Amino acid sequence: MVPGRTLLSVLALATAAFASPIVIDESHVKVTLARHNIQQKSGYNVLEHDRARLATFKAKGAAKASVAERAASAAATNSVTYYSLAVGVGSPATTYDLIVDTGSSNTWVGASTQYKATRTSTDTRDKVAVSYGSGSMSGTEYTDTVTLGTGLTITKQSIGVASKTSGFEGVDGIVGIGPTDLTEDTVSGVTEVPTVTDNLYTQGTISEKVVGIYFQPPQGTSEAQINGELTFGGVDTTKTTSAITYTPLTTTEPASYYWGINQSITMGGTTIMATTAGIVDTGTTLLYLPEGTYNSYVSATGATLDENTGLLTVASESDLQSLYFTIGGTEYELTANAQIWPRDLNTLIGGTANKIYLVVASTGEAAGSGLDFINGYVFLERFYSVFDSTNNQVGFATTSYTDATSN
Ligand SMILES: *[C@@H]1O[C@H](CO)[C@@H](O)[C@H](O)[C@H]1NC(C)=O
């Protein structure tokens, strides 16, 4: 740790010189993440889950008042993939396995393992209810001591204790690290609920409201694998292979309610998506693009729709070429290999072992919706991402997996 400090400081200075402000906090704390791969009962579940989530994102923007009703009509379908971390609650602590979600901001437990009140638990008697498109929770809000990973402790964190949930089988709840505004209207009698990031900052544990996220593509077929890391308060530069470049949060609604950014995409020198607003989301599996962009991609690759999975398929990897994302003036290359669903996991989504399925899907709407794309796991497993609510920006950097031919 100590020899690394000099290097971190040098990097911080070097980056600050040519990009927007970046603070690499020496007191940042790393928490290990596990990737879970869940067998789907039939094909299409990946798309159904992601699209239900997308519909909820859009509904929230369109009619804030009726969020709960609209979201409740969406199918509750478990995700094929999620990342989780161990979170201790109470003293002595009970450990819960919670999904990391940048698209929501409440933290709650109780979907599988029952909440166990201890001397640090306070029942606020306020009601909590949150809808996710892919599920929902309702229950009572408590405050309690929360420990993230092995040693990052927050006192009096507001947490939901679920009495009713849907769509969260096999997991205990969520750590929501989206913008704090997303907690509005989720807890009775409270305007906003401070997130874990807010409290780490308020309690002096971190000096910037920044979360760095490192995911890597799945390896092999195991159901759970430790292959990610969350860093509160800074960036873990041991995981990045370039400087982090930042882009301001978009002002376009409804993308602006989430971690929304402006982005354009080219392929073979042709712009297939002009600059438009969308979001970066750790609760979405695939890469969603507006209909016109998706159609251009289909034409250029000759991909066809596979009946069993609902995903595009090509005969050979050589049918694909890199997609170039321009975000905040920096180009990020999503390689041909990165556009392929992890082949080891083909059967999880109802596919055939040796086929090539693609991770590019359509939002089902033309560009101009205000939320035209979602950069899900398949993007975040190739680029380190930084969610910075102190400076209202999102950053990306390459990692050793950016160009990996892991699929
Ligand atoms: C993003 O794009 C929209 C139009 O698509 C534009 O109005 C806005 O100024 C851009 N930049 C930001 C930071 O929102």
Side-chain angles (χ1 to χ4, degrees), residues 9-365:
S9 309
V10 171
L11 281 172
L13 284 173
T15 312
F18 64 81
S20 43
I22 162 175
V23 172
I24 298 177
D25 185 359
E26 289 169 9
S27 71
H28 66 217
V29 187
K30 302 174 193 177
V31 179
T32 300
L33 301 175
R35 178 185 162 127
H36 298 261
N37 305 309
I38 309 301
Q39 178 68 51
Q40 300 300 289
K41 292 186 187 78
S42 65
Y44 288 90
N45 286 18
V46 189
L47 288 168
E48 275 176 23
H49 170 275
D50 285 356
R51 290 209 171 114
R53 190 170 167 89
L54 172 62
T56 308
F57 285 148
K58 287 189 174 172
K60 211 163 226 167
K64 277 182 154 180
S66 60
V67 187
E69 279 160 55
R70 282 166 178 254
S73 66
T77 312
N78 269 337
S79 176
V80 63
T81 294
Y82 63 87
Y83 283 84
S84 67
L85 72 160
V87 176
V89 181
S91 179
T94 302
T95 302
Y96 302 91
D97 190 36
L98 304 186
I99 296 175
V100 177
D101 188 12
T102 55
S104 68
S105 306
N106 293 74
T107 292
W108 61 271
V109 301
S112 298
T113 309
Q114 281 240 307
Y115 177 62
K116 193 160 178 282
T118 65
R119 62 184 174 82
T120 54
S121 311
T122 304
D123 182 349
T124 69
R125 298 181 189 281
D126 293 326
K127 299 226 171 316
V128 57
V130 193
S131 297
Y132 299 93
S134 54
S136 63
M137 74 77 67
S138 58
T140 307
E141 197 75 3
Y142 278 67
T143 60
D144 210 334
T145 298
V146 166
T147 305
L148 302 167
T150 49
L152 186 53
T153 299
I154 305 162
T155 55
K156 295 195 169 59
Q157 172 67 43
S158 185
I159 56 160
V161 172
S163 52
K164 229 169 101 183
T165 65
S166 70
F168 291 95
E169 291 79 21
V171 70
D172 293 320
I174 288 187
V175 175
I177 52 171
T180 313
D181 291 357
L182 291 177
T183 63
E184 279 173 23
D185 304 326
T186 58
V187 176
S188 60
V190 175
T191 313
E192 278 188 353
V193 182
T195 65
V196 291
T197 317
D198 291 334
N199 280 334
L200 284 168
Y201 176 76
T202 317
Q203 294 174 16
T205 310
I206 58 176
S207 58
E208 295 256 297
K209 287 195 240 178
V210 173
V211 180
I213 296 186
Y214 174 67
F215 293 142
Q216 63 187 59
Q219 332 238 289
T221 55
S222 63
E223 191 277 324
Q225 33 192 278
I226 302 294
N227 72 347
E229 181 194 85
L230 213 56
T231 300
F232 286 96
V235 173
D236 180 357
T237 53
T238 66
K239 297 291 194 283
T240 57
T241 56
S242 72
I244 310 246
T245 49
Y246 289 92
T247 190
L249 294 178
T250 189
T251 52
T252 305
E253 294 177 4
S256 58
Y257 294 124
Y258 308 93
W259 289 108
I261 58 169
N262 282 356
Q263 161 181 292
S264 64
I265 301 176
T266 64
M267 184 180 188
T270 306
T271 298
I272 61 168
M273 189 179 81
T275 304
T276 191
I279 64 168
V280 185
D281 181 34
T282 65
T284 297
T285 304
L286 305 177
L287 170 65
Y288 288 83
L289 301 176
E291 205 140 70
T293 306
Y294 173 82
N295 292 339
S296 304
Y297 180 79
V298 169
S299 309
T301 56
T304 54
L305 200 63
D306 174 70
E307 295 274 308
N308 294 324
T309 59
L311 300 186
L312 291 173
T313 179
V314 287
S316 158
E317 187 169 340
S318 61
D319 294 336
L320 304 174
Q321 52 182 308
S322 293
L323 290 172
Y324 294 91
F325 290 62
T326 300
I327 305 171
T330 302
E331 200 168 73
Y332 298 90
E333 179 182 359
L334 192 74
T335 64
N337 194 262
Q339 295 163 40
I340 299 174
W341 174 257
R343 291 182 223 209
D344 283 345
L345 304 179
N346 278 359
T347 52
L348 276 190
I349 54 167
T352 308
N354 50 12
K355 280 187 83 166
I356 297 178
Y357 301 102
L358 305 180
V359 300
V360 175
S362 170
T363 58
E365 270 193 88

